C-alpha cells in the first residue's frame, strides 16, 4: 500500500499559515460542484478568481462567492497571474495537459482534475516540467477520501482481511438514454467515455491499495444508441504483489453490484452504494458542515465470512482534506496530497486497457 490518505479531521481547522489565492479555470459541474466549495471551505485558501467564457456561469460564481474576479479567457488570467499562488484546472479532458503546462509556466502551483492527461507521455512531460520549475503539481483524485475507501484502507492496514487476493470495485449507473454531452458524444482522442471519466478513480484506488500493475485485460464497449464513447467497461488488473483487481464501470447497469467486494484469506469486506459527498455538494451544501462525511449506520459495510459478518463503523468521508493537503504543499512545503507517479501509472494502465480491448489479449506493462 502507498502512504495513507490524510485522516479525516486533520488539516482542515486551526491553520495559521499564509492565505493562498486560488484561480479556478472552468466553472462547469466540476468547477462549481467539486472544486469551488472545497477551496472555499478550507482555511488558508481563498477562492479569488474563476475563468469562464459563460457570462451566466460567471454571474453565478460571483453571487455565490462575492468579491471574486471573473476572467473570460485563460489568457486574461495568465496576464494577471502574479495575483495568485494556485491554479485549478477543471475543464474538458483534452485541455487538461496544455492548461496545466501554461499555468506552470505562468508561475503558479497547479491542481489538475482527473484525468491528469490523455496519455502517460503527456503526464511525464508535465511532471518533469514541474520538477524543473520547482513548482507544486498534483491531481484531484478525490475518491481517495471516500468514506468506504478510507474504511477499507484501515481494515487492510490492520490485517482484518488477511492477505487480499481479489479486489472488486464498481461505479455503475442506470442511464439507458444518452444525454448527448461531450463525455458521451465525443471521441477517445478528446478524452470522452467512462474509461477516462470513472476509470481514473477506480484505477487510482486499486493502485493506491495494492501497488503497481503488471498486466491488464479489458473489455471496452459503446452500447447505447448515439454514443461514440465507451459506456460499459471491465478491467482486470494483475498487481505485482499478487492481488487481482476487477473493475467495472457502466451506464447500463439496471441492478448495481456491490461498490466494494474485497476477498482476503481470513475475511471479506463488502459495501454498497456511493459515497454521499458528491450528492451533498451537488445539492449545494457546504463541506465544512459538522456532519460532513458521516455515513449512517444502515450504510456501513460488512466484514467477516458468510454466516458470521458484522457491520464495520465507517470512516468519515473527507474531500476537503485534499485541498488542505494542497495548501500545506504550496504554503509549507509538505508532501503532495496525491503523488504523481501513481497517477502516471494509472494512465499507463488506461493505455494498456485500450490495447487489450483492441487485440482481445492480456497486455503486459513494460518494466513492471
Amino acid at each position: 500500500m502507498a502512504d495513507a490518505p490524510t485522516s479525516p479531521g486533520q488539516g482542515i481547522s486551526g491553520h495559521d499559515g499564509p492565505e493562498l489565492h486560488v484561480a479556478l479555470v472552468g466553472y462547469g459541474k466540476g468547477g462549481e460542484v467539486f472544486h469551488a466549495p472545497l477551496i472555499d471551505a478550507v482555511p488558508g485558501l481563498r477562492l479569488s478568481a474563476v475563468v469562464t467564457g459563460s457570462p451566466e456561469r460567471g454571474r453565478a460564481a460571483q453571487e455565490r462567492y462575492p468579491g471574486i474576479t471573473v476572467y473570460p479567457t485563460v489568457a486574461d488570467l495568465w496576464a494577471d497571474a502574479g495575483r495568485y499562488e494556485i491554479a485549478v484546472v477543471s475543464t474538458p479532458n483534452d485541455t487538461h495537459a496544455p492548461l496545466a503546462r501554461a499555468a506552470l509556466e505562468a508561475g503558479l502551483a497547479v491542481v489538475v482534475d482527473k484525468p491528469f492527461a490523455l496519455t502517460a507521455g503527456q503526464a511525464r512531460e508535465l511532471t518533469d516540467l514541474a520538477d524543473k520549475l520547482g513548482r507544486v503539481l498534483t491531481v484531484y483524485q478525490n475518491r481517495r477520501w471516500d468514506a468506504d475507501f478510507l474504511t477499507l484502507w484501515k481494515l487492510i492496514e490492520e490485517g482484518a482481511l488477511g492477505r487480499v487476493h481479489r479486489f472488486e470495485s464498481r461505479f455503475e449507473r442506470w442511464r439507458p438514454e444518452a444525454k448527448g454531452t461531450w463525455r458521451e458524444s465525443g471521441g477517445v482522442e478528446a478524452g470522452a467515455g467512462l474509461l477516462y471519466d470513472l476509470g481514473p478513480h477506480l484505477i487510482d484506488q486499486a493502485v493506491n491499495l495494492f501497488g503497481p500493475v503488471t498486466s491488464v485485460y479489458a473489455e471496452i464497449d459503446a452500447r447505447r444508441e448515439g454514443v461514440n464513447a465507451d459506456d460499459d467497461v471491465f478491467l482486470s488488473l494483475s498487481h505485482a504483489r499478487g492481488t487481482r483487481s476487477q473493475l467495472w464501470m457502466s451506464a447500463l447497469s439496471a441492478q448495481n453490484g456491490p461498490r466494494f467486494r474485497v476477498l482476503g484469506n481470513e475475511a471479506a469486506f463488502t459495501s454498497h452504494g456511493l459515497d454521499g459527498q458528491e450528492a451533498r455538494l451537488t445539492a449545494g451544501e457546504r463541506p465544512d458542515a459538522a456532519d460532513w462525511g458521516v455515513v449512517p449506520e444502515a450504510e456501513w459495510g460488512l466484514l467477516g465470512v458468510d454466516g458470521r459478518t458484522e457491520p464495520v463503523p465507517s470512516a468519515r468521508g473527507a474531500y476537503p482534506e485534499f485541498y488542505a493537503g494542497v495548501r500545506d504543499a504550496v504554503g509549507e512545503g509538505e508532501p503532495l496530497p496525491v503523488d504523481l507517479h501513481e497517477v502516471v501509472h494509472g494512465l499507463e494502465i488506461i493505455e494498456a486497457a485500450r490495447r487489450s480491448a483492441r487485440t482481445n489479449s492480456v497486455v503486459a506493462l513494460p518494466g513492471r
Side-chain angles (χ1 to χ4, degrees):
M1 293 169 64
D3 293 337
T6 308
S7 298
Q10 293 181 351
I12 296 302
S13 61
H15 178 71
D16 296 324
E19 185 173 67
L20 302 173
H21 299 85
V22 182
L24 174 58
V25 182
Y27 201 70
K29 180 180 179 181
E32 181 181 11
V33 173
F34 282 107
H35 293 282
L38 299 177
I39 296 166
D40 186 58
V42 172
L45 296 182
R46 177 179 291 276
L47 180 61
S48 301
V50 165
V51 179
T52 176
S54 165
E56 181 181 356
R57 291 177 180 174
R59 286 191 295 271
Q62 287 178 318
E63 287 175 6
R64 186 167 182 183
Y65 307 102
I68 67 168
T69 300
V70 174
Y71 297 99
T73 71
V74 287
D76 295 313
L77 172 61
W78 307 148
D80 213 12
R83 295 177 57 191
Y84 310 100
E85 287 79 36
I86 303 169
V88 175
V89 176
S90 180
T91 54
N93 293 348
D94 58 346
T95 67
H96 287 182
L99 287 175
R101 172 178 288 276
L104 288 168
E105 292 174 342
L108 298 169
V110 183
V111 174
V112 188
D113 210 338
K114 58 80 196 168
F116 180 34
L118 296 188
T119 69
Q122 287 179 335
R124 293 188 199 99
E125 289 175 4
L126 286 174
T127 302
D128 291 344
L129 178 62
D131 287 343
K132 177 183 176 182
L133 297 175
R135 299 204 174 103
V136 166
L137 173 65
T138 192
V139 185
Y140 182 65
Q141 294 286 172
N142 61 303
R143 296 290 180 176
R144 294 191 187 189
W145 287 268
D146 276 357
D148 50 11
F149 181 74
L150 292 171
T151 304
L152 175 60
W153 181 285
K154 185 171 184 289
L155 291 173
I156 293 174
E157 192 172 54
E158 292 174 347
L161 304 177
R163 185 177 65 255
V164 175
H165 56 268
R166 190 170 302 276
F167 172 61
E168 299 177 6
S169 178
R170 294 170 172 83
F171 278 161
E172 296 176 323
R173 302 162 172 166
W174 177 236
R175 296 178 180 174
E177 301 296 330
K179 296 181 178 180
T181 64
W182 68 266
R183 294 184 186 277
E184 297 179 323
S185 61
V188 172
E189 69 283 352
L194 288 188
L195 187 55
Y196 275 123
D197 184 25
L198 302 179
H201 289 312
L202 296 176
I203 292 168
D204 183 73
Q205 288 184 335
V207 170
N208 208 234
L209 285 171
F210 304 111
V213 169
T214 57
S215 65
V216 179
Y217 168 75
E219 300 167 5
I220 302 174
D221 297 290
R223 298 191 182 277
R224 293 173 297 172
E225 185 176 351
V227 167
N228 295 319
D230 47 89
D231 58 8
D232 188 39
V233 179
F234 169 74
L235 304 181
S236 179
L237 314 180
S238 295
H239 296 265
R241 297 177 186 175
T243 305
R244 295 189 187 275
S245 291
Q246 295 179 309
L247 314 177
W248 288 263
M249 56 209 85
S250 179
L252 277 172
S253 177
Q255 294 187 19
N256 295 342
R259 172 68 185 91
F260 289 138
R261 180 172 178 261
V262 191
L263 306 180
N265 66 341
E266 295 182 11
F269 175 75
T270 58
S271 66
H272 292 79
L274 293 177
D275 180 278
Q277 294 176 90
E278 177 176 351
R280 294 184 68 174
L281 288 169
T282 302
E285 294 188 45
R286 284 190 58 86
D288 52 3
D291 67 342
W292 187 260
V294 173
V295 178
E297 186 173 349
E299 298 175 14
W300 292 354
L302 295 177
L303 173 69
V305 301
D306 278 345
R308 292 186 288 111
T309 61
E310 58 183 21
V312 177
S314 178
R316 292 181 66 164
Y319 288 175
E321 294 290 354
F322 170 81
Y323 271 109
V326 171
R327 175 200 65 200
D328 295 344
V330 176
E332 308 294 337
E334 295 294 327
L336 295 172
V338 174
D339 193 278
L340 294 179
H341 78 276
E342 291 177 338
V343 178
V344 173
H345 185 42
L347 288 165
E348 293 172 343
I349 292 167
I350 287 177
E351 291 176 340
R354 295 211 176 275
R355 290 197 299 273
S356 171
R358 285 197 305 269
T359 60
N360 192 30
S361 65
V362 175
V363 173
L365 273 67
R368 297 281 177 180

